[in-house]
Amino acid sequence: PNTAVAALRQAADVQLIVGPPQPPETTDILINQLAPEHCPPGSTCSGHPALRDRRVRQALALAVDKKKLIEVVLLGMGTPGLTLIPEGLGRWYNNTLQDYPFDPAQARKLLDQAGYRDSDNDGVRETPDHRPLDFRFNWPSDSPVAPRTAQLLAAMWKEIGVSTQLQSVDPDALTAACCPGFDYDLILWAWDSDPDPSLLLGAMHGGRIPAGTNETGYANPEYDALYQRQAAELDLERRQQLVWELQRLALQDVVYIVPYYAHRVQAYRTDRFTGWPANPPRVALEHPSSLAAVRPRR
């Protein structure tokens, strides 16, 4: 656990390794932006209508202090997130993107300009038709870090006039509500990644809304066309350009808010074993490629 790091750094004959995990993973905030016309038959589709407004999603992104989340929740062991494609995917991760800065003042200005004002002075803004910006915010009950992350996010969003109803939910029940029920507003969850980026990028393809494998209801024909092109592109450099452009679109449209990429912490005894890989790009000492190289120190 991250809480063991301080002690392990001082321990004799112990080597600590901290870095992106294998397989790569992403912590993300799902935002239900499903348009009513895309509601799958039999689904509830109860998302707050304000979340279909990109300006509201942008304001939420501007109000997230990712540095604070990493320091408090991960004890500093992580990096700010951008899109579903994590840094551990190497060349597929678009490291040229400019993230939304932490700027609550700009978030408040954006909501003011969009017509979301606190007309009754209760600290919560309303839509032009007087519906409060009060969002259900859920997470799976088996996550050890989600409760603290959600509490911090709720406090950050409160500063811009957005309230949240926090509740942990059984993972199976949350899956049913999410996909394809679309019976949620915001969910704090996570993805493990394949080595290929198509899995995560496919979660934003409009054609996958009926099956629930598109979990946010995002529908953008430009994105869908680019996704199909990258899936068929055989030239590595051209495919990378398409994958990077897909990430730019996802960030621009705030399909998800990715608060951080959590790092993994592992350690080994230097006085007992030798041969561990030095500075691995992804932390997985338990992987056979590591274990096969390790030898007892004599």
Side-chain angles (χ1 to χ4, degrees):
N2 291 8
T3 51
V5 167
L8 287 173
R9 288 196 194 280
Q10 306 301 320
D13 302 320
V14 171
Q15 177 64 48
L16 190 71
I17 297 181
V18 179
Q22 173 67 28
E25 62 183 39
T26 299
T27 297
D28 55 84
I29 302 167
L30 285 65
I31 306 174
N32 186 351
Q33 52 212 267
L34 181 76
E37 62 268 24
H38 294 150
C39 182
S43 295
T44 305
C45 304
S46 64
H48 197 296
L51 293 173
R52 299 198 293 267
D53 187 339
R54 185 174 69 175
R55 296 168 297 183
V56 172
R57 303 196 300 271
Q58 288 173 330
L60 292 178
L62 286 164
V64 174
D65 186 346
K66 295 182 180 181
K67 181 179 178 181
K68 181 176 182 179
L69 291 174
I70 292 168
E71 290 299 322
V72 174
V73 178
L74 305 180
L75 303 183
M77 279 153 281
T79 53
L82 283 171
T83 71
L84 285 190
I85 301 298
E87 56 187 353
L89 275 190
R91 70 178 301 144
W92 303 119
Y93 170 64
N94 188 345
N95 59 11
T96 68
L97 292 174
Q98 295 296 312
D99 198 6
Y100 293 91
F102 174 53
D103 192 342
Q106 179 61 27
R108 288 189 286 267
K109 180 179 179 181
L110 185 61
L111 290 172
D112 285 342
Q113 292 173 342
Y116 299 94
R117 298 181 179 274
D118 181 11
S119 59
D120 55 6
N121 295 313
D122 66 349
V124 180
R125 296 173 183 268
E126 300 94 31
T127 63
D129 60 356
H130 307 295
R131 179 169 177 174
L133 295 191
D134 183 29
F135 303 136
R136 297 165 292 172
F137 191 13
N138 305 119
W139 62 88
S141 56
D142 60 354
S143 171
V145 299
R148 185 64 176 135
T149 304
Q151 290 169 0
L152 290 168
L153 286 166
M156 294 170 189
W157 288 333
K158 184 178 180 180
E159 294 298 315
I160 64 169
V162 172
S163 66
T164 48
Q165 304 171 36
L166 303 181
Q167 184 178 3
S168 67
V169 179
D170 174 82
D172 291 337
L174 193 59
T175 299
C178 160
C179 327
F182 293 100
D183 187 17
Y184 77 93
D185 296 326
L186 303 166
I187 297 177
L188 179 63
W189 223 334
W191 275 96
D192 284 340
S193 175
D194 277 357
D196 188 274
S198 283
L199 171 71
L200 294 180
L201 294 173
M204 294 173 275
H205 191 287
R208 301 186 180 184
I209 291 174
T213 49
N214 177 329
E215 55 196 358
T216 64
Y218 177 64
N220 180 345
E222 180 185 2
Y223 183 96
D224 295 350
L226 279 173
Y227 178 84
Q228 296 303 126
R229 284 179 59 194
Q230 71 81 30
E233 180 56 67
L234 299 180
D235 182 272
L236 192 61
E237 297 297 332
R238 286 200 293 268
R239 186 180 180 218
Q240 178 179 317
Q241 293 174 5
L242 294 170
V243 168
W244 281 28
E245 176 62 13
L246 285 165
Q247 291 172 72
R248 187 195 66 78
L249 279 176
L251 185 65
Q252 168 189 287
D253 290 343
V254 200
V255 186
Y256 294 81
I257 296 174
V258 180
Y260 48 72
Y261 303 127
H263 284 174
R264 177 173 293 177
V265 178
Q266 293 191 336
Y268 61 86
R269 292 289 298 261
T270 59
D271 60 333
R272 295 184 181 180
F273 301 98
T274 184
W276 297 101
N279 302 315
R282 287 176 288 276
V283 177
L285 297 182
E286 77 287 356
H287 193 273
S289 63
S290 295
L291 297 179
V294 175
R295 296 291 181 267
R297 185 178 292 278
R298 301 187 187 277

